[in-house]
Amino acid sequence: MHRSKVFIKYAIIALWVAAVLGYLRLYRQHMDTYLQLIISTLTISIFSELCFISYGDVYDTLNLLGHLFRFASYVLIYVAIFLNNVKKPYLQLVATRSALENANNALEEKAKKNKRSYTR
């Protein structure tokens, strides 16, 4: 493998390690599942790049393993994006709707009590 290609791959790994450290710091503050998935994705991507650096032949097992790691990281990033941008807001919407419904029912009961007290 060309020396410049190896250098670039190590630079990418260094950037991903820095990103993992940054996300770990964020995770300690927020304890969010989304951040766990991002950290896992970046870690798997690091292993993928290490496999791509280490393989000797295009048909080598390490090359296949690198692609499998890459695929796994793409699946995890998809799950993380889905959880954060689709499922989480939907669950918040359901919880807010439920709270509004409870508040509306309480107001209706209060209005009925007030109406009964004025009609007496």
Side-chain angles (χ1 to χ4, degrees):
M1 194 178 310
H2 296 296
R3 185 174 254 182
S4 60
K5 185 175 179 182
V6 172
F7 175 76
I8 290 171
K9 289 207 176 278
Y10 278 122
I12 290 170
I13 290 171
L15 289 173
W16 281 343
V17 167
V20 166
L21 294 174
Y23 276 110
L24 280 171
R25 190 177 46 130
L26 276 176
Y27 179 72
R28 286 187 193 117
Q29 294 171 357
H30 302 289
M31 297 297 207
D32 194 359
T33 306
Y34 168 73
L35 295 172
Q36 283 180 332
L37 291 171
I38 296 295
I39 292 166
S40 299
T41 298
L42 291 170
T43 304
I44 291 171
S45 294
I46 291 169
F47 286 120
S48 172
E49 289 300 326
L50 287 172
C51 287
F52 289 141
I53 290 171
S54 302
Y55 78 88
D57 185 25
V58 177
Y59 301 106
D60 195 359
T61 307
L62 285 174
N63 191 15
L64 174 65
L65 189 61
H67 282 90
L68 291 175
F69 280 144
R70 178 75 48 95
F71 177 75
S73 71
Y74 289 158
V75 169
L76 277 178
I77 197 71
Y78 173 77
V79 169
I81 289 170
F82 177 80
L83 285 177
N84 195 55
N85 296 329
V86 177
K87 188 176 180 182
K88 188 176 177 181
Y90 178 75
L91 292 176
Q92 289 172 343
L93 181 65
V94 169
T96 303
R97 182 174 182 219
S98 177
L100 284 173
E101 189 175 324
N102 292 338
N104 187 34
N105 290 339
L107 283 174
E108 285 178 1
E109 287 296 319
K110 194 173 186 179
K112 285 179 187 177
K113 285 181 185 178
N114 285 341
K115 186 177 181 181
R116 279 186 244 145
S117 66
Y118 284 125
T119 56
R120 290 186 187 174

